[in-house]
Amino acid sequence: MLLVPFLCYNNGRNFFYCTSMSLINFNCYRKDPSVARPFEGLKIVDVGCGGGILCEPLVRMGATVTGIDALEKNVKIARLHADLDPVTSAIEYCCTTAESLVKEQKMFDAVISLEVIEHVEDPAEFCKTLAALTNPGGATVISTINRSLRSFAIAIVLAEYLLHLLPKGTHQWSSFVTPEELELMLRRASINVQEMAGLVYNPFTGRCSLSDDISVNFIVFGTKNSQ
């Protein structure tokens, strides 16, 4: 995660995701976004779930949640924490990949992948994989880091070499994708981008918020073609 504790960024992500999903709930699934459990009845997968910090609030909002990660230690940590609460213990965690789920013909109402695409070998193929997991009319949510001069300065020089918030080599600037590139890759995978926003951290308040500034971290919400 870039520069800030994961939980701070996760607050902003959850807000954007709830806002975006409310549109899908209302238009596609006829859900009431104002209720306590707006995702009731929806199947959601978090691809690259890590320790499950996004899966837990999603299941609390009523979704049936699957969290997958390629690292077994991440899945074990997520499972241990989820089992502390009867509500979150319902999350299904698996040490597997998105490609394996496609082979198993699994599909979901919403597919989320946060801070993963910049680490995969072929981002375009990864987008196609996420699309294959998404039901027609369903939602795909991706967050990543823009390939910009500012992101090089902040995500690599500052975070890895000056502040040592991340191990050196965590990110490769050439592997970052621009918003335009991501939108094109998603469109070619039959995902139409509906919303895009930046994520900005305020070091004085310790909070992150949505922003029009997509020069570093940004998050995209799209819907899969119905046909």
Side-chain angles (χ1 to χ4, degrees), residues 197-215:
L199 285 166
V200 178
Y201 176 67
N202 187 326
F204 299 104
T205 64
R207 298 177 65 87
C208 90
S209 59
L210 298 177
S211 168
D212 292 332
D213 182 3
I214 58 174
S215 63

Side-chain angles (χ1 to χ4, degrees), residues 4 7 11 14 21 33 43 62 64 77 91 94 111 123-124 126 149 164 174 197 201 217 224:
V4 297
L7 185 58
N11 289 335
N14 284 341
M21 278 299 290
K43 291 175 59 180
T64 299
I77 291 171
I91 300 170
C94 303
V111 177
F126 184 68
L149 291 178
H164 306 290
S174 60
Y201 176 67
N217 287 82
K224 184 175 179 179

Side-chain angles (χ1 to χ4, degrees), residues 1 6 9-10 12-14 16-18 20-21 44-48 54 58 98 110-120 122-134 138-146 175-199 210 214 216-224:
M1 186 49 49
F6 183 66
Y9 260 107
N10 197 58
R13 289 195 179 106
N14 284 341
F16 181 80
Y17 187 67
C18 290
S20 301
M21 278 299 290
I44 300 177
V45 63
D46 182 6
V47 177
L54 180 64
L58 291 175
V111 177
I112 311 171
S113 185
L114 307 184
E115 253 55 51
V116 174
I117 194 169
E118 66 269 22
H119 299 289
V120 304
D122 190 334
E125 283 300 314
F126 184 68
C127 286
K128 292 179 182 178
T129 299
L130 298 183
L133 292 174
T134 308
T140 304
V141 180
I142 299 175
S143 73
T144 188
I145 306 172
N146 192 354
S175 297
F176 295 165
V177 296
T178 68
E180 295 80 11
E181 289 169 343
L182 182 55
E183 185 169 4
L184 179 59
M185 287 186 284
L186 287 171
R187 190 184 313 127
R188 288 175 174 172
S190 299
I191 302 292
N192 296 311
V193 173
Q194 306 293 334
E195 295 184 55
M196 184 181 297
L199 285 166
L210 298 177
I214 58 174
V216 184
N217 287 82
F218 68 100
I219 189 165
V220 171
F221 161 74
T223 56
K224 184 175 179 179

